Amino acid sequence: MARVVLEGIRKTYPNGFKAIHGVDVAIEEGEFLVLVGPSGCGKSTLLRMIAGLESITEGSLSIGDRKVNDLEPSQRDIAMVFQNYALYPHMSVYKNMAYGLKIMGLPKEEIDSRVKKAAAILELTEEQLTRKPKQLSGGQRQRVAMGRAIVREPSVFLFDEPLSNLDAKLRVQMRLEIKGLQSDLGITSVYVTHDQVEAMTLGHRLMVLNAGHVEQLGTPIELYQKPASLFVAGFIGSPAMNFADARIDAEGQNITISGQAALPLGDGGMPDHGGKDVVLGIRPEHLELVPDAPDAVPMTVAMVEQLGADTLVHGHFGESKSNLTVRLDGIRTIAQGEVLPIRVTPDHLHVFDPSTEKRL
Amino acid sequence: MLKNVHFKPSLLPFLLVFPQIVVTLVFFIWPATQALYQSVLVEDAFGLKTEFVWFKNFGELFQDSHYWASFEVTIVFSFLVAFLSMSFAFVLAILADRVIKGSGTYRTLLIWPYAVAPVTAGALWVFMFNPTLGVVAYALSAMGYEWNHQLNGGEAMALVVMASAWKQVAYNFLFFLAGLQSIPKSLIEAAAIDGAGPGRRILDIILPLISPTTFFLLVINVVYAFFETFGVIHAVTAGGPAGATNILVYKVFSDGFVGLDLGGSAAQSVILMAIVIGLTFVQFKYVEKRVAY
């Protein structure tokens, strides 16, 4: 267990491409930090820099009390689980797990007990330990890859999209297992994923990356309730947040979406931004179907998706062009072309500056 | 089970394979049967009379100490050629695998020797090592070593091995490089995290994973050293001095066309044929099955 501290970490490739534009974060002992973002945002690069598989152009990285910038991966006291598992195909499962320990020079009995212990934690049978990786299913290979990380008893676990090669059902199961394992072992972990559900469910804190910049760092609920930018707002939450061009009135008390009814901003309003054109974000789950409400806005239905537990209604407000998704619970029978009275649940408005894309 | 697709019988497929069959018959099957036939005949040096002697030629061969000496030379020669060219090519491939910039140029340059004909390669090395004219021989004598492969059997062997191996390095390099590049990078990274240094990674991860390539190349190189180095030997040593580099394939030539013992020479080529059939069989049986894992 160790603290991992990143200070002003930057990465510039020899061809001049800047992959990471300065990351500062202190990952606490036993914390589970998830790096999340779309492909090419630099999340894997950052993880590989922590692992020592990519050099650090600028900044300082320390694990525990040591500055590890110039240490080899094996000296950083880390273990990594790769996306494609990276199991040695010519070694048995047992040897795969024991390989690192053998190189550490541990005595045979110690290696054996560590491997057996990890196998027990991961519910790998004796018989499976003798198999070659290709004789295992995807989920079992994933477990072996985890086992190889566990036996090293590292200070830090690094996960590089470990679940993306699994089918949907197995992914949910392994997600729970990883979460349970991390909290049982209490080992500081950094986890890379592009899947926001994985990020929300696993992480104590999330770091949202976009094109090498940190968009926001915070707990899953902070990111959900107070997204710092349009990017985070659109990335976190499923189905994605609705955005519409809107205008705050001169007093800063109400907000109007393209000529529709004014919505109260509440909470003292935003007097500093009176008369400003903004982007309004509303989550699909914060739109309600309320017949007879005086402040309801009519929404024309374009399409309906029945999910059983929820019904997603896609459409738009009156003449407005911007698409809108409403999440209603339970099964609803709604026809295409129907006009529904929709009300915004108060206090769930997100207002962004259209030029800086930051939260106001 | 998929059903076989049946076409109407037509002449076209036969026409399409016809040229291949003709080539095989004229240049391969016919000479091979001739060799088989000749190997059971004894013909006098002037070609005046021919006698059918059953397997007497083979019997004489197996009692001939020169033949066994040639066998020994061939085994030493092919082992050295295969080992030298493969290990050198492997080192080059490991180095080339790490190159990012200009790898294309580097690779092309390394492939060039393969385009050089064996006789030319041999001539090249003879010039460099010629005891009176060669630059390398001159440099060696400046260092106090008198190189003369025309007198010293060991030096002659070293020279033909170097010339033959040099030519084959390019081919081996290509296959090793392709093999190395097919190993997922993450495996090497995983090994690095496990604490394996570069040397250890080669031993524990890379070598086992490219063992199918290595085995394939071993067979190819042995076949090369056995049969395709005739040009090199002919240009460099002509089998000498005193038979020190007289490999089997060269002995077939010198006994048959210089010594005019056609029957004995044919018997030798039949034995060589059996060896190459055996090697090909080994290659198909094991290489196709991918021996590694």
Side-chain angles (χ1 to χ4, degrees), chain A residues 36-55:
Chain A
V36 63
S39 17
C41 69
K43 56 191 190 299
S44 280
T45 309
L46 188 58
L47 187 82
R48 292 167 58 82
M49 284 160 84
I50 299 173
L53 299 172
E54 297 274 358
S55 63

mmCIF file of all heavy atoms in Angstrom, chain A residues 36-55:
data_model
loop_
_atom_site.group_PDB
_atom_site.id
_atom_site.type_symbol
_atom_site.label_atom_id
_atom_site.label_comp_id
_atom_site.label_asym_id
_atom_site.label_seq_id
_atom_site.Cartn_x
_atom_site.Cartn_y
_atom_site.Cartn_z
ATOM 1 N N VAL A 36 -10.742 7.850 -16.891
ATOM 2 C CA VAL A 36 -11.773 7.553 -17.875
ATOM 3 C C VAL A 36 -11.775 8.635 -18.944
ATOM 4 O O VAL A 36 -11.442 9.801 -18.679
ATOM 5 C CB VAL A 36 -13.147 7.398 -17.171
ATOM 6 C CG1 VAL A 36 -13.582 8.678 -16.499
ATOM 7 C CG2 VAL A 36 -14.219 6.913 -18.128
ATOM 8 N N GLY A 37 -12.118 8.233 -20.144
ATOM 9 C CA GLY A 37 -12.163 9.174 -21.260
ATOM 10 C C GLY A 37 -12.300 8.408 -22.556
ATOM 11 O O GLY A 37 -12.183 7.188 -22.566
ATOM 12 N N PRO A 38 -12.557 9.114 -23.639
ATOM 13 C CA PRO A 38 -12.707 8.433 -24.926
ATOM 14 C C PRO A 38 -11.361 7.931 -25.436
ATOM 15 O O PRO A 38 -10.324 8.295 -24.880
ATOM 16 C CB PRO A 38 -13.255 9.522 -25.843
ATOM 17 C CG PRO A 38 -12.774 10.792 -25.239
ATOM 18 C CD PRO A 38 -12.660 10.572 -23.774
ATOM 19 N N SER A 39 -11.357 7.112 -26.497
ATOM 20 C CA SER A 39 -10.066 6.602 -26.987
ATOM 21 C C SER A 39 -9.203 7.765 -27.464
ATOM 22 O O SER A 39 -9.696 8.738 -28.015
ATOM 23 C CB SER A 39 -10.236 5.571 -28.093
ATOM 24 O OG SER A 39 -11.505 5.632 -28.635
ATOM 25 N N GLY A 40 -7.924 7.643 -27.187
ATOM 26 C CA GLY A 40 -6.987 8.681 -27.602
ATOM 27 C C GLY A 40 -6.910 9.858 -26.653
ATOM 28 O O GLY A 40 -6.269 10.855 -26.971
ATOM 29 N N CYS A 41 -7.524 9.742 -25.462
ATOM 30 C CA CYS A 41 -7.503 10.895 -24.556
ATOM 31 C C CYS A 41 -6.238 10.901 -23.720
ATOM 32 O O CYS A 41 -5.963 11.842 -22.998
ATOM 33 C CB CYS A 41 -8.722 10.877 -23.647
ATOM 34 S SG CYS A 41 -8.687 9.543 -22.457
ATOM 35 N N GLY A 42 -5.456 9.826 -23.783
ATOM 36 C CA GLY A 42 -4.204 9.783 -23.037
ATOM 37 C C GLY A 42 -4.285 8.993 -21.748
ATOM 38 O O GLY A 42 -3.311 8.921 -21.010
ATOM 39 N N LYS A 43 -5.426 8.356 -21.486
ATOM 40 C CA LYS A 43 -5.570 7.649 -20.214
ATOM 41 C C LYS A 43 -4.624 6.447 -20.110
ATOM 42 O O LYS A 43 -3.990 6.237 -19.084
ATOM 43 C CB LYS A 43 -7.024 7.222 -19.981
ATOM 44 C CG LYS A 43 -7.626 6.362 -21.087
ATOM 45 C CD LYS A 43 -9.124 6.224 -20.907
ATOM 46 C CE LYS A 43 -9.745 5.202 -21.833
ATOM 47 N NZ LYS A 43 -9.598 5.463 -23.263
ATOM 48 N N SER A 44 -4.509 5.705 -21.222
ATOM 49 C CA SER A 44 -3.598 4.557 -21.191
ATOM 50 C C SER A 44 -2.150 5.019 -21.117
ATOM 51 O O SER A 44 -1.333 4.403 -20.428
ATOM 52 C CB SER A 44 -3.782 3.687 -22.433
ATOM 53 O OG SER A 44 -4.902 2.863 -22.276
ATOM 54 N N THR A 45 -1.839 6.092 -21.813
ATOM 55 C CA THR A 45 -0.479 6.632 -21.771
ATOM 56 C C THR A 45 -0.118 6.995 -20.336
ATOM 57 O O THR A 45 0.972 6.671 -19.863
ATOM 58 C CB THR A 45 -0.384 7.878 -22.669
ATOM 59 O OG1 THR A 45 -0.896 7.546 -23.941
ATOM 60 C CG2 THR A 45 1.040 8.369 -22.776
ATOM 61 N N LEU A 46 -1.054 7.637 -19.654
ATOM 62 C CA LEU A 46 -0.790 8.046 -18.274
ATOM 63 C C LEU A 46 -0.542 6.817 -17.387
ATOM 64 O O LEU A 46 0.401 6.801 -16.584
ATOM 65 C CB LEU A 46 -1.984 8.867 -17.757
ATOM 66 C CG LEU A 46 -1.801 9.539 -16.410
ATOM 67 C CD1 LEU A 46 -0.602 10.480 -16.425
ATOM 68 C CD2 LEU A 46 -3.054 10.320 -16.026
ATOM 69 N N LEU A 47 -1.364 5.796 -17.580
ATOM 70 C CA LEU A 47 -1.194 4.576 -16.785
ATOM 71 C C LEU A 47 0.159 3.932 -17.074
ATOM 72 O O LEU A 47 0.861 3.485 -16.165
ATOM 73 C CB LEU A 47 -2.318 3.581 -17.102
ATOM 74 C CG LEU A 47 -2.338 2.341 -16.208
ATOM 75 C CD1 LEU A 47 -3.040 2.661 -14.904
ATOM 76 C CD2 LEU A 47 -3.003 1.165 -16.886
ATOM 77 N N ARG A 48 0.509 3.896 -18.364
ATOM 78 C CA ARG A 48 1.782 3.286 -18.748
ATOM 79 C C ARG A 48 2.963 4.096 -18.226
ATOM 80 O O ARG A 48 4.043 3.551 -17.981
ATOM 81 C CB ARG A 48 1.849 3.125 -20.264
ATOM 82 C CG ARG A 48 0.846 2.077 -20.786
ATOM 83 C CD ARG A 48 0.699 2.153 -22.289
ATOM 84 N NE ARG A 48 1.972 1.966 -22.945
ATOM 85 C CZ ARG A 48 2.515 0.783 -23.192
ATOM 86 N NH1 ARG A 48 1.871 -0.306 -22.849
ATOM 87 N NH2 ARG A 48 3.673 0.692 -23.792
ATOM 88 N N MET A 49 2.753 5.394 -18.039
ATOM 89 C CA MET A 49 3.814 6.206 -17.449
ATOM 90 C C MET A 49 3.984 5.859 -15.968
ATOM 91 O O MET A 49 5.094 5.824 -15.453
ATOM 92 C CB MET A 49 3.495 7.697 -17.617
ATOM 93 C CG MET A 49 3.736 8.193 -19.036
ATOM 94 S SD MET A 49 2.870 9.713 -19.378
ATOM 95 C CE MET A 49 4.009 10.895 -18.729
ATOM 96 N N ILE A 50 2.866 5.603 -15.306
ATOM 97 C CA ILE A 50 2.957 5.201 -13.900
ATOM 98 C C ILE A 50 3.652 3.839 -13.805
ATOM 99 O O ILE A 50 4.464 3.592 -12.925
ATOM 100 C CB ILE A 50 1.552 5.140 -13.251
ATOM 101 C CG1 ILE A 50 0.887 6.516 -13.285
ATOM 102 C CG2 ILE A 50 1.652 4.632 -11.806
ATOM 103 C CD1 ILE A 50 -0.547 6.522 -12.815
ATOM 104 N N ALA A 51 3.349 2.963 -14.785
ATOM 105 C CA ALA A 51 3.930 1.619 -14.779
ATOM 106 C C ALA A 51 5.416 1.636 -15.114
ATOM 107 O O ALA A 51 6.138 0.713 -14.777
ATOM 108 C CB ALA A 51 3.194 0.724 -15.775
ATOM 109 N N GLY A 52 5.839 2.692 -15.835
ATOM 110 C CA GLY A 52 7.232 2.722 -16.267
ATOM 111 C C GLY A 52 7.418 2.168 -17.659
ATOM 112 O O GLY A 52 8.541 1.910 -18.086
ATOM 113 N N LEU A 53 6.324 1.958 -18.378
ATOM 114 C CA LEU A 53 6.423 1.447 -19.743
ATOM 115 C C LEU A 53 6.556 2.588 -20.749
ATOM 116 O O LEU A 53 6.897 2.368 -21.904
ATOM 117 C CB LEU A 53 5.200 0.595 -20.088
ATOM 118 C CG LEU A 53 5.003 -0.632 -19.200
ATOM 119 C CD1 LEU A 53 3.676 -1.307 -19.468
ATOM 120 C CD2 LEU A 53 6.139 -1.623 -19.399
ATOM 121 N N GLU A 54 6.243 3.800 -20.304
ATOM 122 C CA GLU A 54 6.470 4.997 -21.121
ATOM 123 C C GLU A 54 7.283 5.954 -20.262
ATOM 124 O O GLU A 54 7.088 6.025 -19.055
ATOM 125 C CB GLU A 54 5.141 5.696 -21.471
ATOM 126 C CG GLU A 54 4.196 4.885 -22.310
ATOM 127 C CD GLU A 54 4.462 5.017 -23.801
ATOM 128 O OE1 GLU A 54 5.375 5.786 -24.182
ATOM 129 O OE2 GLU A 54 3.763 4.342 -24.567
ATOM 130 N N SER A 55 8.178 6.687 -20.915
ATOM 131 C CA SER A 55 8.985 7.629 -20.141
ATOM 132 C C SER A 55 8.146 8.862 -19.800
ATOM 133 O O SER A 55 7.163 9.167 -20.469
ATOM 134 C CB SER A 55 10.208 8.036 -20.950
ATOM 135 O OG SER A 55 9.783 8.710 -22.108
#
